[in-house]
PDB file of all heavy atoms in Angstrom:
ATOM      1  N   LYS A  14      53.363  68.224 -15.570  1.00  0.00           N
ATOM      2  CA  LYS A  14      52.003  68.580 -15.957  1.00  0.00           C
ATOM      3  C   LYS A  14      50.965  67.667 -15.308  1.00  0.00           C
ATOM      4  O   LYS A  14      49.810  68.061 -15.133  1.00  0.00           O
ATOM      5  CB  LYS A  14      51.858  68.570 -17.480  1.00  0.00           C
ATOM      6  CG  LYS A  14      52.586  69.733 -18.137  1.00  0.00           C
ATOM      7  CD  LYS A  14      52.134  71.077 -17.558  1.00  0.00           C
ATOM      8  CE  LYS A  14      52.892  72.241 -18.150  1.00  0.00           C
ATOM      9  NZ  LYS A  14      52.546  73.526 -17.478  1.00  0.00           N
ATOM     10  N   LEU A  15      51.360  66.456 -14.942  1.00  0.00           N
ATOM     11  CA  LEU A  15      50.469  65.660 -14.093  1.00  0.00           C
ATOM     12  C   LEU A  15      50.253  66.376 -12.761  1.00  0.00           C
ATOM     13  O   LEU A  15      49.135  66.408 -12.228  1.00  0.00           O
ATOM     14  CB  LEU A  15      51.069  64.272 -13.844  1.00  0.00           C
ATOM     15  CG  LEU A  15      51.183  63.322 -15.035  1.00  0.00           C
ATOM     16  CD1 LEU A  15      51.788  61.992 -14.577  1.00  0.00           C
ATOM     17  CD2 LEU A  15      49.839  63.085 -15.695  1.00  0.00           C
ATOM     18  N   ALA A  16      51.333  66.969 -12.234  1.00  0.00           N
ATOM     19  CA  ALA A  16      51.197  67.731 -10.989  1.00  0.00           C
ATOM     20  C   ALA A  16      50.304  68.943 -11.191  1.00  0.00           C
ATOM     21  O   ALA A  16      49.528  69.316 -10.294  1.00  0.00           O
ATOM     22  CB  ALA A  16      52.576  68.156 -10.490  1.00  0.00           C
ATOM     23  N   ASP A  17      50.397  69.584 -12.345  1.00  0.00           N
ATOM     24  CA  ASP A  17      49.499  70.695 -12.657  1.00  0.00           C
ATOM     25  C   ASP A  17      48.043  70.240 -12.676  1.00  0.00           C
ATOM     26  O   ASP A  17      47.145  70.957 -12.230  1.00  0.00           O
ATOM     27  CB  ASP A  17      49.850  71.276 -14.031  1.00  0.00           C
ATOM     28  CG  ASP A  17      50.615  72.579 -13.908  1.00  0.00           C
ATOM     29  OD1 ASP A  17      50.914  72.972 -12.774  1.00  0.00           O
ATOM     30  OD2 ASP A  17      50.898  73.184 -14.940  1.00  0.00           O
ATOM     31  N   THR A  18      47.804  69.054 -13.233  1.00  0.00           N
ATOM     32  CA  THR A  18      46.442  68.517 -13.253  1.00  0.00           C
ATOM     33  C   THR A  18      45.923  68.337 -11.836  1.00  0.00           C
ATOM     34  O   THR A  18      44.748  68.590 -11.553  1.00  0.00           O
ATOM     35  CB  THR A  18      46.401  67.178 -14.014  1.00  0.00           C
ATOM     36  OG1 THR A  18      46.980  67.358 -15.309  1.00  0.00           O
ATOM     37  CG2 THR A  18      44.988  66.676 -14.169  1.00  0.00           C
ATOM     38  N   VAL A  19      46.798  67.907 -10.942  1.00  0.00           N
ATOM     39  CA  VAL A  19      46.419  67.809  -9.529  1.00  0.00           C
ATOM     40  C   VAL A  19      46.072  69.185  -8.982  1.00  0.00           C
ATOM     41  O   VAL A  19      45.031  69.377  -8.334  1.00  0.00           O
ATOM     42  CB  VAL A  19      47.563  67.173  -8.707  1.00  0.00           C
ATOM     43  CG1 VAL A  19      47.306  67.349  -7.206  1.00  0.00           C
ATOM     44  CG2 VAL A  19      47.706  65.695  -9.039  1.00  0.00           C
ATOM     45  N   ALA A  20      46.933  70.172  -9.256  1.00  0.00           N
ATOM     46  CA  ALA A  20      46.752  71.502  -8.666  1.00  0.00           C
ATOM     47  C   ALA A  20      45.470  72.171  -9.131  1.00  0.00           C
ATOM     48  O   ALA A  20      44.748  72.778  -8.336  1.00  0.00           O
ATOM     49  CB  ALA A  20      47.957  72.382  -9.003  1.00  0.00           C
ATOM     50  N   TRP A  21      45.167  72.088 -10.422  1.00  0.00           N
ATOM     51  CA  TRP A  21      44.018  72.818 -10.955  1.00  0.00           C
ATOM     52  C   TRP A  21      42.768  71.953 -11.062  1.00  0.00           C
ATOM     53  O   TRP A  21      41.665  72.485 -11.197  1.00  0.00           O
ATOM     54  CB  TRP A  21      44.348  73.405 -12.323  1.00  0.00           C
ATOM     55  CG  TRP A  21      45.650  74.144 -12.359  1.00  0.00           C
ATOM     56  CD1 TRP A  21      46.691  73.920 -13.211  1.00  0.00           C
ATOM     57  CD2 TRP A  21      46.076  75.205 -11.508  1.00  0.00           C
ATOM     58  NE1 TRP A  21      47.725  74.774 -12.943  1.00  0.00           N
ATOM     59  CE2 TRP A  21      47.384  75.576 -11.899  1.00  0.00           C
ATOM     60  CE3 TRP A  21      45.485  75.883 -10.441  1.00  0.00           C
ATOM     61  CZ2 TRP A  21      48.109  76.581 -11.279  1.00  0.00           C
ATOM     62  CZ3 TRP A  21      46.211  76.882  -9.818  1.00  0.00           C
ATOM     63  CH2 TRP A  21      47.490  77.230 -10.233  1.00  0.00           C
ATOM     64  N   GLY A  22      42.916  70.627 -11.022  1.00  0.00           N
ATOM     65  CA  GLY A  22      41.754  69.756 -11.165  1.00  0.00           C
ATOM     66  C   GLY A  22      41.362  69.039  -9.887  1.00  0.00           C
ATOM     67  O   GLY A  22      40.230  69.146  -9.413  1.00  0.00           O
ATOM     68  N   LEU A  23      42.320  68.295  -9.306  1.00  0.00           N
ATOM     69  CA  LEU A  23      41.991  67.462  -8.149  1.00  0.00           C
ATOM     70  C   LEU A  23      42.055  68.215  -6.827  1.00  0.00           C
ATOM     71  O   LEU A  23      41.270  67.935  -5.920  1.00  0.00           O
ATOM     72  CB  LEU A  23      42.944  66.258  -8.087  1.00  0.00           C
ATOM     73  CG  LEU A  23      42.800  65.212  -9.183  1.00  0.00           C
ATOM     74  CD1 LEU A  23      43.753  64.048  -8.914  1.00  0.00           C
ATOM     75  CD2 LEU A  23      41.366  64.701  -9.267  1.00  0.00           C
ATOM     76  N   LEU A  24      42.999  69.154  -6.689  1.00  0.00           N
ATOM     77  CA  LEU A  24      43.135  69.846  -5.411  1.00  0.00           C
ATOM     78  C   LEU A  24      41.860  70.581  -4.997  1.00  0.00           C
ATOM     79  O   LEU A  24      41.448  70.475  -3.822  1.00  0.00           O
ATOM     80  CB  LEU A  24      44.324  70.813  -5.464  1.00  0.00           C
ATOM     81  CG  LEU A  24      44.580  71.620  -4.191  1.00  0.00           C
ATOM     82  CD1 LEU A  24      44.847  70.694  -3.007  1.00  0.00           C
ATOM     83  CD2 LEU A  24      45.742  72.594  -4.391  1.00  0.00           C
ATOM     84  N   PRO A  25      41.193  71.326  -5.898  1.00  0.00           N
ATOM     85  CA  PRO A  25      39.936  71.951  -5.479  1.00  0.00           C
ATOM     86  C   PRO A  25      38.896  70.934  -5.008  1.00  0.00           C
ATOM     87  O   PRO A  25      38.179  71.185  -4.025  1.00  0.00           O
ATOM     88  CB  PRO A  25      39.467  72.680  -6.743  1.00  0.00           C
ATOM     89  CG  PRO A  25      40.726  72.961  -7.496  1.00  0.00           C
ATOM     90  CD  PRO A  25      41.596  71.762  -7.257  1.00  0.00           C
ATOM     91  N   LEU A  26      38.820  69.783  -5.698  1.00  0.00           N
ATOM     92  CA  LEU A  26      37.876  68.745  -5.262  1.00  0.00           C
ATOM     93  C   LEU A  26      38.272  68.190  -3.897  1.00  0.00           C
ATOM     94  O   LEU A  26      37.432  67.984  -3.021  1.00  0.00           O
ATOM     95  CB  LEU A  26      37.829  67.621  -6.290  1.00  0.00           C
ATOM     96  CG  LEU A  26      37.276  67.974  -7.672  1.00  0.00           C
ATOM     97  CD1 LEU A  26      37.415  66.779  -8.610  1.00  0.00           C
ATOM     98  CD2 LEU A  26      35.820  68.412  -7.573  1.00  0.00           C
ATOM     99  N   PHE A  27      39.571  67.917  -3.731  1.00  0.00           N
ATOM    100  CA  PHE A  27      40.084  67.380  -2.472  1.00  0.00           C
ATOM    101  C   PHE A  27      39.763  68.308  -1.306  1.00  0.00           C
ATOM    102  O   PHE A  27      39.297  67.874  -0.237  1.00  0.00           O
ATOM    103  CB  PHE A  27      41.595  67.171  -2.609  1.00  0.00           C
ATOM    104  CG  PHE A  27      42.294  66.752  -1.356  1.00  0.00           C
ATOM    105  CD1 PHE A  27      42.280  65.425  -0.954  1.00  0.00           C
ATOM    106  CD2 PHE A  27      42.985  67.678  -0.581  1.00  0.00           C
ATOM    107  CE1 PHE A  27      42.945  65.030   0.205  1.00  0.00           C
ATOM    108  CE2 PHE A  27      43.642  67.294   0.572  1.00  0.00           C
ATOM    109  CZ  PHE A  27      43.621  65.964   0.971  1.00  0.00           C
ATOM    110  N   LEU A  28      40.002  69.616  -1.493  1.00  0.00           N
ATOM    111  CA  LEU A  28      39.751  70.576  -0.416  1.00  0.00           C
ATOM    112  C   LEU A  28      38.261  70.803  -0.187  1.00  0.00           C
ATOM    113  O   LEU A  28      37.821  70.979   0.963  1.00  0.00           O
ATOM    114  CB  LEU A  28      40.442  71.900  -0.735  1.00  0.00           C
ATOM    115  CG  LEU A  28      41.977  71.849  -0.812  1.00  0.00           C
ATOM    116  CD1 LEU A  28      42.534  73.197  -1.234  1.00  0.00           C
ATOM    117  CD2 LEU A  28      42.572  71.414   0.521  1.00  0.00           C
ATOM    118  N   ALA A  29      37.478  70.780  -1.264  1.00  0.00           N
ATOM    119  CA  ALA A  29      36.032  70.932  -1.101  1.00  0.00           C
ATOM    120  C   ALA A  29      35.446  69.755  -0.323  1.00  0.00           C
ATOM    121  O   ALA A  29      34.533  69.934   0.491  1.00  0.00           O
ATOM    122  CB  ALA A  29      35.361  71.043  -2.469  1.00  0.00           C
ATOM    123  N   GLN A  30      35.976  68.561  -0.561  1.00  0.00           N
ATOM    124  CA  GLN A  30      35.518  67.392   0.184  1.00  0.00           C
ATOM    125  C   GLN A  30      35.804  67.514   1.673  1.00  0.00           C
ATOM    126  O   GLN A  30      35.160  66.860   2.488  1.00  0.00           O
ATOM    127  CB  GLN A  30      36.180  66.127  -0.370  1.00  0.00           C
ATOM    128  CG  GLN A  30      35.691  65.735  -1.753  1.00  0.00           C
ATOM    129  CD  GLN A  30      36.586  64.692  -2.410  1.00  0.00           C
ATOM    130  OE1 GLN A  30      37.642  64.319  -1.873  1.00  0.00           O
ATOM    131  NE2 GLN A  30      36.181  64.217  -3.573  1.00  0.00           N
ATOM    132  N   ARG A  31      36.770  68.356   2.025  1.00  0.00           N
ATOM    133  CA  ARG A  31      37.128  68.553   3.428  1.00  0.00           C
ATOM    134  C   ARG A  31      36.529  69.823   3.996  1.00  0.00           C
ATOM    135  O   ARG A  31      36.930  70.289   5.066  1.00  0.00           O
ATOM    136  CB  ARG A  31      38.649  68.532   3.563  1.00  0.00           C
ATOM    137  CG  ARG A  31      39.174  67.101   3.528  1.00  0.00           C
ATOM    138  CD  ARG A  31      40.544  66.968   2.922  1.00  0.00           C
ATOM    139  NE  ARG A  31      40.925  65.549   2.880  1.00  0.00           N
ATOM    140  CZ  ARG A  31      40.488  64.694   1.948  1.00  0.00           C
ATOM    141  NH1 ARG A  31      39.668  65.094   0.999  1.00  0.00           N
ATOM    142  NH2 ARG A  31      40.864  63.424   1.978  1.00  0.00           N
ATOM    143  N   GLY A  32      35.562  70.393   3.273  1.00  0.00           N
ATOM    144  CA  GLY A  32      34.769  71.486   3.806  1.00  0.00           C
ATOM    145  C   GLY A  32      35.323  72.874   3.609  1.00  0.00           C
ATOM    146  O   GLY A  32      34.783  73.833   4.183  1.00  0.00           O
ATOM    147  N   LEU A  33      36.370  73.040   2.810  1.00  0.00           N
ATOM    148  CA  LEU A  33      36.932  74.364   2.600  1.00  0.00           C
ATOM    149  C   LEU A  33      36.043  75.158   1.647  1.00  0.00           C
ATOM    150  O   LEU A  33      35.626  74.639   0.608  1.00  0.00           O
ATOM    151  CB  LEU A  33      38.346  74.234   2.022  1.00  0.00           C
ATOM    152  CG  LEU A  33      39.383  75.272   2.480  1.00  0.00           C
ATOM    153  CD1 LEU A  33      39.574  75.199   3.988  1.00  0.00           C
ATOM    154  CD2 LEU A  33      40.708  75.031   1.766  1.00  0.00           C
ATOM    155  N   PRO A  34      35.731  76.411   1.950  1.00  0.00           N
ATOM    156  CA  PRO A  34      34.909  77.225   1.035  1.00  0.00           C
ATOM    157  C   PRO A  34      35.682  77.597  -0.226  1.00  0.00           C
ATOM    158  O   PRO A  34      36.911  77.545  -0.265  1.00  0.00           O
ATOM    159  CB  PRO A  34      34.569  78.463   1.874  1.00  0.00           C
ATOM    160  CG  PRO A  34      35.650  78.550   2.895  1.00  0.00           C
ATOM    161  CD  PRO A  34      36.049  77.135   3.204  1.00  0.00           C
ATOM    162  N   VAL A  35      34.942  78.026  -1.240  1.00  0.00           N
ATOM    163  CA  VAL A  35      35.540  78.321  -2.542  1.00  0.00           C
ATOM    164  C   VAL A  35      36.629  79.390  -2.434  1.00  0.00           C
ATOM    165  O   VAL A  35      37.692  79.279  -3.057  1.00  0.00           O
ATOM    166  CB  VAL A  35      34.446  78.765  -3.537  1.00  0.00           C
ATOM    167  CG1 VAL A  35      35.072  79.304  -4.820  1.00  0.00           C
ATOM    168  CG2 VAL A  35      33.526  77.599  -3.856  1.00  0.00           C
ATOM    169  N   SER A  36      36.397  80.432  -1.654  1.00  0.00           N
ATOM    170  CA  SER A  36      37.379  81.514  -1.555  1.00  0.00           C
ATOM    171  C   SER A  36      38.711  81.016  -1.001  1.00  0.00           C
ATOM    172  O   SER A  36      39.790  81.399  -1.471  1.00  0.00           O
ATOM    173  CB  SER A  36      36.837  82.646  -0.680  1.00  0.00           C
ATOM    174  OG  SER A  36      36.550  82.180   0.627  1.00  0.00           O
ATOM    175  N   GLN A  37      38.655  80.135  -0.003  1.00  0.00           N
ATOM    176  CA  GLN A  37      39.892  79.609   0.580  1.00  0.00           C
ATOM    177  C   GLN A  37      40.567  78.598  -0.347  1.00  0.00           C
ATOM    178  O   GLN A  37      41.799  78.530  -0.405  1.00  0.00           O
ATOM    179  CB  GLN A  37      39.597  78.988   1.948  1.00  0.00           C
ATOM    180  CG  GLN A  37      39.219  80.020   2.997  1.00  0.00           C
ATOM    181  CD  GLN A  37      39.039  79.415   4.379  1.00  0.00           C
ATOM    182  OE1 GLN A  37      38.917  78.211   4.550  1.00  0.00           O
ATOM    183  NE2 GLN A  37      39.016  80.271   5.395  1.00  0.00           N
ATOM    184  N   ILE A  38      39.783  77.815  -1.065  1.00  0.00           N
ATOM    185  CA  ILE A  38      40.360  76.911  -2.063  1.00  0.00           C
ATOM    186  C   ILE A  38      41.151  77.712  -3.092  1.00  0.00           C
ATOM    187  O   ILE A  38      42.265  77.345  -3.483  1.00  0.00           O
ATOM    188  CB  ILE A  38      39.260  76.085  -2.749  1.00  0.00           C
ATOM    189  CG1 ILE A  38      38.636  75.097  -1.759  1.00  0.00           C
ATOM    190  CG2 ILE A  38      39.812  75.334  -3.970  1.00  0.00           C
ATOM    191  CD1 ILE A  38      37.427  74.372  -2.307  1.00  0.00           C
ATOM    192  N   ALA A  39      40.582  78.829  -3.530  1.00  0.00           N
ATOM    193  CA  ALA A  39      41.261  79.673  -4.513  1.00  0.00           C
ATOM    194  C   ALA A  39      42.571  80.218  -3.959  1.00  0.00           C
ATOM    195  O   ALA A  39      43.577  80.306  -4.685  1.00  0.00           O
ATOM    196  CB  ALA A  39      40.352  80.815  -4.936  1.00  0.00           C
ATOM    197  N   TRP A  40      42.591  80.570  -2.679  1.00  0.00           N
ATOM    198  CA  TRP A  40      43.831  81.086  -2.096  1.00  0.00           C
ATOM    199  C   TRP A  40      44.892  79.996  -1.974  1.00  0.00           C
ATOM    200  O   TRP A  40      46.087  80.258  -2.169  1.00  0.00           O
ATOM    201  CB  TRP A  40      43.558  81.716  -0.736  1.00  0.00           C
ATOM    202  CG  TRP A  40      43.123  83.147  -0.854  1.00  0.00           C
ATOM    203  CD1 TRP A  40      41.873  83.654  -0.688  1.00  0.00           C
ATOM    204  CD2 TRP A  40      43.955  84.252  -1.194  1.00  0.00           C
ATOM    205  NE1 TRP A  40      41.857  85.004  -0.905  1.00  0.00           N
ATOM    206  CE2 TRP A  40      43.125  85.409  -1.215  1.00  0.00           C
ATOM    207  CE3 TRP A  40      45.307  84.404  -1.493  1.00  0.00           C
ATOM    208  CZ2 TRP A  40      43.624  86.681  -1.518  1.00  0.00           C
ATOM    209  CZ3 TRP A  40      45.804  85.668  -1.795  1.00  0.00           C
ATOM    210  CH2 TRP A  40      44.960  86.775  -1.802  1.00  0.00           C
ATOM    211  N   VAL A  41      44.504  78.769  -1.653  1.00  0.00           N
ATOM    212  CA  VAL A  41      45.482  77.667  -1.601  1.00  0.00           C
ATOM    213  C   VAL A  41      46.107  77.467  -2.974  1.00  0.00           C
ATOM    214  O   VAL A  41      47.335  77.388  -3.122  1.00  0.00           O
ATOM    215  CB  VAL A  41      44.825  76.367  -1.099  1.00  0.00           C
ATOM    216  CG1 VAL A  41      45.804  75.189  -1.213  1.00  0.00           C
ATOM    217  CG2 VAL A  41      44.372  76.512   0.347  1.00  0.00           C
ATOM    218  N   SER A  42      45.258  77.388  -4.010  1.00  0.00           N
ATOM    219  CA  SER A  42      45.785  77.253  -5.366  1.00  0.00           C
ATOM    220  C   SER A  42      46.575  78.493  -5.775  1.00  0.00           C
ATOM    221  O   SER A  42      47.588  78.391  -6.477  1.00  0.00           O
ATOM    222  CB  SER A  42      44.634  77.021  -6.350  1.00  0.00           C
ATOM    223  OG  SER A  42      44.010  75.771  -6.131  1.00  0.00           O
ATOM    224  N   GLY A  43      46.118  79.671  -5.328  1.00  0.00           N
ATOM    225  CA  GLY A  43      46.828  80.902  -5.652  1.00  0.00           C
ATOM    226  C   GLY A  43      48.208  80.961  -5.035  1.00  0.00           C
ATOM    227  O   GLY A  43      49.160  81.445  -5.657  1.00  0.00           O
ATOM    228  N   VAL A  44      48.351  80.473  -3.803  1.00  0.00           N
ATOM    229  CA  VAL A  44      49.672  80.439  -3.160  1.00  0.00           C
ATOM    230  C   VAL A  44      50.609  79.508  -3.920  1.00  0.00           C
ATOM    231  O   VAL A  44      51.794  79.821  -4.124  1.00  0.00           O
ATOM    232  CB  VAL A  44      49.533  80.000  -1.683  1.00  0.00           C
ATOM    233  CG1 VAL A  44      50.884  79.593  -1.106  1.00  0.00           C
ATOM    234  CG2 VAL A  44      48.937  81.133  -0.860  1.00  0.00           C
ATOM    235  N   TYR A  45      50.090  78.368  -4.352  1.00  0.00           N
ATOM    236  CA  TYR A  45      50.877  77.449  -5.189  1.00  0.00           C
ATOM    237  C   TYR A  45      51.375  78.170  -6.441  1.00  0.00           C
ATOM    238  O   TYR A  45      52.573  78.140  -6.766  1.00  0.00           O
ATOM    239  CB  TYR A  45      50.006  76.248  -5.541  1.00  0.00           C
ATOM    240  CG  TYR A  45      50.536  75.352  -6.642  1.00  0.00           C
ATOM    241  CD1 TYR A  45      51.572  74.458  -6.396  1.00  0.00           C
ATOM    242  CD2 TYR A  45      49.987  75.382  -7.915  1.00  0.00           C
ATOM    243  CE1 TYR A  45      52.048  73.618  -7.399  1.00  0.00           C
ATOM    244  CE2 TYR A  45      50.445  74.557  -8.927  1.00  0.00           C
ATOM    245  CZ  TYR A  45      51.475  73.671  -8.656  1.00  0.00           C
ATOM    246  OH  TYR A  45      51.934  72.851  -9.658  1.00  0.00           O
ATOM    247  N   GLY A  46      50.468  78.843  -7.147  1.00  0.00           N
ATOM    248  CA  GLY A  46      50.851  79.550  -8.357  1.00  0.00           C
ATOM    249  C   GLY A  46      51.781  80.721  -8.093  1.00  0.00           C
ATOM    250  O   GLY A  46      52.708  80.987  -8.868  1.00  0.00           O
ATOM    251  N   ALA A  47      51.564  81.442  -6.996  1.00  0.00           N
ATOM    252  CA  ALA A  47      52.392  82.601  -6.685  1.00  0.00           C
ATOM    253  C   ALA A  47      53.809  82.192  -6.305  1.00  0.00           C
ATOM    254  O   ALA A  47      54.791  82.839  -6.724  1.00  0.00           O
ATOM    255  CB  ALA A  47      51.752  83.404  -5.554  1.00  0.00           C
ATOM    256  N   ALA A  48      53.949  81.132  -5.494  1.00  0.00           N
ATOM    257  CA  ALA A  48      55.285  80.650  -5.146  1.00  0.00           C
ATOM    258  C   ALA A  48      56.021  80.168  -6.390  1.00  0.00           C
ATOM    259  O   ALA A  48      57.222  80.417  -6.568  1.00  0.00           O
ATOM    260  CB  ALA A  48      55.179  79.520  -4.122  1.00  0.00           C
TER     261      ALA A  48
END
């Protein structure tokens, strides 16, 4: 669940800091959830 906190909390921030748009951030998290 610490890893879940990373996936749903920190990962969007991490990717946004690197210039990824919201739609692509959602797909990265979505691929994690789908796999």
Side-chain angles (χ1 to χ4, degrees):
K14 289 305 177 186
L15 293 181
D17 257 3
T18 306
V19 167
W21 311 125
L23 292 184
L24 180 59
L26 295 175
F27 174 81
L28 296 176
Q30 290 166 355
R31 282 149 183 79
L33 216 61
V35 170
S36 60
Q37 291 185 345
I38 292 173
W40 275 106
V41 173
S42 293
V44 165
Y45 167 76

